[in-house]
Amino acid sequence: MSTTSEIAMNDSQKSVSPESATKPIIEIIGMHKWYGDFHVLSEINLQVMPKEKIVICGPSGSGKSTLIRCINRLEEHQRGQIIVNGTELSNDIKNIEKVRAEVGMVFQHFNLFPHLTIIDNLTLGPIWVRKTPKKEAEEAAMMYLEKVQIPEQAKKFPGQLSGGQQQRVAIARSLCMNPQVMLFDEPTSALDPEMIKEVLDVMIGLADEGMTMLVVTHEMGFAKSVADRVMFMDDGEIVEQNSPDAFFDNPQHERTKLFLSQIL
Amino acid sequence: MTEATTAKRAQLQPPSSNVGVVGWLKTNLFSTWYNSLLTFILLGMLALTLPPVFQWAFIDSLWNSSAEACRNIEGACWSVVPHNFRFIILGFFPEGQEWRPILAMVLLLGLVIYSKERSRWKKSLAWLWLINLIVMGTLMSGGVLGMPVVETSQWSGLPLTLILSFFGMVVAYPMGIFLALGRRSKMPAIKTLCVVYIEMIRGVPLISLLFMSSIMFPLFLPEGVTIDKVLRALVAIILFTAAYIAEVVRGGLQAMPRGQYEAADSLGLNYYQTMRLIILPQALKIVIPPSVGILLSVFKDTSLVVIIALFDVLKTTMVTLSNPDWAGYSKEAYIFLALLYFVFCYAMSSYSRRLEKELHTGH
């Protein structure tokens, strides 16, 4: 039932209340995860403050996607705690659904619903999860479509859009749920080079508005200009994290140096 | 950018040898010497076989004569159909009450045709169906409004075929969906139950199920309790069809990319919403062709109820042919019957093709 005016209010409340500013919105304590016998994530500790933008990078197979997928329980963790917005993730399906509604996620392959029009893709969550009246949901959806600059595509189907447009729709779909946090799982990796910029621009705009963001990406330019903190993961561990300047100019760890030398 | 370049570039016509009638003939019938040879051989065979068939069916044939008149002709005696039309179509339904099954069939087929348009799929249509089913049931059984009671044992011919196949499909389809979802369930009890059910039913022929429903099942009922024979046959058909539908639907569910589940999950949709809004609409669309295949076989397999002494439209035709007057004209009667089945089956398959096209959203 949250309208745009309410979001604005929430935002301003957050910024004035010192309590919420000091309390992390995501807290991961001593978390481990296994796929069968394979130990994918080991002793993960992470605190994310409201409005913080974190970029996670690392070689493929390092567990960075798995980490952010644990935050909305697309993956289960076996040890430790994950607390999102005051709710601890466990097997309780009600808690999981509550967290998922508060955490938006953007996937590498967009994962739009191909049988629904763009506008229906956007209003599905608000109507069925938030119980927003249809008309209100559609108005909000149009607003977000304008924000990602494709309102004219509202009546089309995902299959008729370019990759970049689809990914912007996917971002708008997540925003329609008024999430507290947005997770991005390699949002530009499946895009043609000329479409990467349009998606990054939308993400930069979102960051400027104060959205809490966790972004798994190889776009180091984005990391430098937007991130508050850059995290490097390798072999299921958080190896190093620092402000972008310090991270790129003065990496501490050998593995980080090697990784940066390979991609920059 | 591509549009701009193509607009500037001159558009050439395709080579003339590839278009038009001549082009078509050249590519399809006479592309090589052996294709040309095949074309001529087939043309020759058609020239040999078609004229006699045409002569038999249309020129030397009688369309509405007595059985005696047919004895003296070389051609087809189509008269077998109009002369016995009432019995073939309606079977043992009591004399003088013919309007009731006819009206019931018209209502059923009319509403099926009305329901074709997806824009009409609303709640009101469901109510319309419910009312229609009650009216149809009343028409068939009677007992009210001065209509004499007609036992289901007298239901026969085309109405029986339509009732068995229509209800067979309509009840079995949702049941099959639930079985498919159950088979993919994470709950071991439900999963096992569904797997056992599906594999058991698929392991036996429909005939054995029909026998069981008509001969074995009554033995288990307490003294004095009987369940209607048509209903028992219908249940057997439904149970049988549902198992097959379940496997087809499961194929569709497995074709769904994991990303669709994840996207639905990440929005906070629950299991029921995910299935109803995201997964099933796409999965069922994928399995339209094999589903229609199953529905067509259900329609045709209803003729197996003859073995438990129900008189569907095939059996009424056979009864007609057991009359010595018409006994020699089974060819004609079966050709008519084949056409009748074909009309229904073709309507179903062409509707499914249309539905597929309508549901295509360019992905």
Side-chain angles (χ1 to χ4, degrees):
Chain A
M1 283 296 283
S2 24
T3 58
T4 38
S5 57
E6 271 178 15
I7 318 165
M9 234 174 60
N10 281 344
D11 277 356
S12 57
Q13 274 176 348
K14 253 185 255 160
S15 53
V16 288
S17 147
E19 214 179 323
S20 65
T22 49
K23 216 172 113 197
I25 192 158
I26 298 173
E27 199 165 11
I28 301 178
I29 306 159
M31 189 262 276
H32 291 250
K33 171 165 180 61
W34 287 263
Y35 282 127
D37 286 339
F38 180 55
H39 197 178
V40 231
L41 292 176
S42 170
E43 193 60 29
I44 302 289
N45 289 292
L46 176 66
Q47 288 198 337
V48 183
M49 291 299 168
K51 301 195 171 192
E52 202 177 6
K53 295 127 197 56
I54 299 181
V55 165
I56 305 169
C57 58
S60 67
S62 59
K64 49 197 195 307
S65 285
T66 309
L67 170 60
I68 68 165
R69 287 159 61 87
C70 282
I71 294 171
N72 67 351
R73 195 75 171 183
L74 288 182
E75 304 285 354
E76 228 173 277
H77 60 280
Q78 281 83 24
R79 224 165 89 187
Q81 281 181 300
I82 300 178
I83 301 155
V84 181
N85 209 15
T87 310
E88 187 182 344
L89 284 169
S90 63
N91 280 325
D92 181 349
I93 187 74
K94 284 284 156 242
N95 271 353
I96 296 173
E97 278 163 12
K98 203 166 112 194
V99 166
R100 283 171 176 168
E102 299 304 324
V103 177
M105 178 132 192
V106 176
F107 300 88
Q108 181 178 1
H109 295 287
F110 333 134
N111 296 352
L112 294 177
F113 306 127
H115 62 302
L116 299 176
T117 57
I118 300 306
I119 187 93
D120 288 343
N121 264 279
L122 265 64
T123 55
L124 191 97
I127 289 174
W128 291 89
V129 180
R130 298 257 192 245
K131 313 292 178 204
T132 314
K134 188 165 188 253
K135 200 168 161 279
E136 212 174 288
E138 278 178 356
E139 280 166 13
M142 282 315 292
M143 189 199 84
Y144 284 114
L145 276 183
E146 264 164 52
K147 195 160 163 181
V148 300
Q149 298 179 3
I150 32 178
E152 71 282 359
Q153 312 282 6
K155 296 285 173 210
K156 287 196 185 164
F157 287 97
Q160 297 165 307
L161 269 55
S162 73
Q165 289 174 325
Q166 289 195 46
Q167 193 61 297
R168 285 185 282 153
V169 171
I171 294 173
R173 176 174 72 179
S174 291
L175 292 176
C176 280
M177 292 291 287
N178 290 323
Q180 309 280 318
V181 183
M182 286 282 282
L183 308 175
F184 292 83
D185 187 2
E186 306 205 23
T188 55
S189 301
L191 295 175
D192 290 337
E194 75 262 32
M195 292 169 183
I196 291 177
K197 188 177 176 299
E198 65 188 51
V199 171
L200 288 181
D201 284 346
V202 169
M203 290 168 64
I204 291 167
L206 210 56
D208 291 343
E209 285 169 30
M211 176 62 78
T212 314
M213 291 161 75
L214 265 82
V215 185
V216 172
T217 187
H218 298 292
E219 295 295 328
M220 290 303 133
F222 176 82
K224 277 178 192 160
S225 62
V226 174
D228 297 318
R229 197 168 6 142
V230 180
M231 242 168 69
F232 173 69
M233 284 185 72
D234 190 17
D235 197 23
E237 290 174 315
I238 300 175
V239 176
E240 181 168 350
Q241 46 182 322
N242 218 329
S243 70
D245 291 340
F247 181 86
F248 288 109
D249 299 338
N250 192 15
Q252 301 297 310
H253 209 282
E254 277 311 311
R255 280 192 278 180
T256 318
K257 284 176 194 163
L258 180 68
F259 175 73
L260 288 176
S261 72
Q262 278 163 344
I263 60 161
L264 289 179
Chain B
M1 218 171 82
T2 30
E3 276 160 39
T5 36
T6 44
K8 270 179 228 156
R9 191 166 56 77
Q11 296 283 304
L12 301 177
Q13 291 292 319
S16 63
S17 62
N18 289 335
V19 291
V21 182
V22 179
W24 185 89
L25 284 175
K26 216 174 140 189
T27 45
N28 292 297
L29 298 178
F30 301 103
S31 55
T32 56
W33 68 266
Y34 49 86
N35 274 349
S36 307
L37 189 67
L38 268 179
T39 303
F40 284 119
I41 290 175
L42 285 173
L43 277 177
M45 280 163 70
L46 283 179
L48 282 177
T49 52
L50 268 188
V53 170
F54 188 80
Q55 177 103 8
W56 176 81
F58 297 106
I59 296 175
D60 295 341
S61 58
L62 286 174
W63 291 81
N64 198 0
S65 65
S66 65
E68 285 75 46
C70 280
R71 303 268 177 266
N72 307 318
I73 56 157
E74 292 281 298
C77 178
W78 299 114
S79 315
V80 62
V81 176
H83 259 262
N84 301 291
F85 195 68
R86 191 238 168 251
F87 187 78
I88 291 177
I89 299 297
L90 299 179
F92 298 108
F93 211 84
E95 296 284 332
Q97 301 294 320
E98 284 86 355
W99 63 276
R100 283 162 51 185
I102 291 173
L103 184 58
M105 283 195 287
V106 168
L107 282 175
L108 178 65
L109 297 178
L111 199 51
V112 165
I113 291 167
Y114 179 81
S115 309
K116 267 171 67 169
E117 304 298 330
R118 283 199 305 137
S119 57
R120 294 180 185 146
W121 294 1
K122 292 179 195 138
K123 217 175 220 164
S124 52
L125 188 64
W127 285 108
L128 205 58
W129 268 106
L130 193 68
I131 295 165
N132 201 31
L133 291 180
I134 295 169
V135 172
M136 273 167 45
T138 317
L139 280 170
M140 290 300 289
S141 353
V144 287
L145 302 169
M147 293 186 288
V149 174
V150 178
E151 296 295 329
T152 53
S153 57
Q154 289 173 295
W155 296 9
S156 37
L158 190 59
L160 182 66
T161 299
L162 290 182
I163 287 171
L164 289 175
S165 45
F166 178 79
F167 286 99
M169 296 170 192
V170 169
V171 181
Y173 209 90
M175 193 173 151
I177 293 174
F178 283 118
L179 282 169
L181 292 176
R183 190 167 183 168
R184 286 169 57 89
S185 167
K186 285 189 193 117
M187 287 175 259
I190 291 179
K191 185 177 173 156
T192 316
L193 206 69
C194 291
V195 172
V196 168
Y197 175 86
I198 292 169
E199 295 307 333
M200 252 173 52
I201 297 280
R202 294 203 315 158
V204 295
L206 177 56
I207 293 188
S208 66
L209 279 183
L210 287 169
F211 268 131
M212 273 193 255
S213 75
S214 87
I215 298 164
M216 279 172 58
F217 181 61
L219 298 177
F220 296 110
L221 290 176
E223 199 86 23
V225 178
T226 53
I227 293 176
D228 187 85
K229 201 169 166 188
V230 172
L231 186 63
R232 272 185 277 144
L234 187 55
V235 169
I237 290 172
I238 290 170
L239 294 181
F240 183 78
T241 312
Y244 283 84
I245 294 283
E247 285 300 273
V248 162
V249 171
R250 190 167 69 97
L253 291 173
Q254 270 167 354
M256 293 302 301
R258 216 174 114 200
Q260 292 290 304
Y261 290 94
E262 289 178 351
D265 283 347
S266 75
L267 287 175
L269 295 172
N270 61 33
Y271 175 81
Y272 168 76
Q273 291 166 336
T274 304
M275 286 301 153
R276 206 200 115 190
L277 301 167
I278 310 299
I279 304 300
L280 283 176
Q282 297 183 65
L284 294 184
K285 197 202 98 184
I286 301 174
V287 298
I288 287 177
S291 303
V292 170
I294 290 175
L295 297 184
L296 290 179
S297 6
V298 179
F299 182 68
K300 291 176 290 180
D301 286 351
T302 54
S303 54
L304 289 173
V305 296
V306 295
I307 60 137
I308 55 166
L310 287 177
F311 286 72
D312 80 316
V313 72
L314 176 66
K315 185 64 180 172
T316 54
T317 309
M318 286 157 76
V319 170
T320 302
L321 294 171
S322 64
N323 174 349
D325 282 349
W326 299 105
Y329 309 113
S330 51
K331 235 184 292 174
E332 291 85 340
Y334 286 135
I335 288 175
F336 165 74
L337 198 62
L339 279 177
L340 190 67
Y341 273 103
F342 176 78
V343 167
F344 283 103
C345 291
Y346 186 73
M348 277 193 265
S349 76
S350 56
Y351 176 61
S352 81
R353 257 176 288 144
R354 198 186 91 175
L355 203 57
E356 253 181 281
K357 213 182 265 175
E358 277 181 13
L359 293 174
H360 184 73
T361 54
H363 58 278

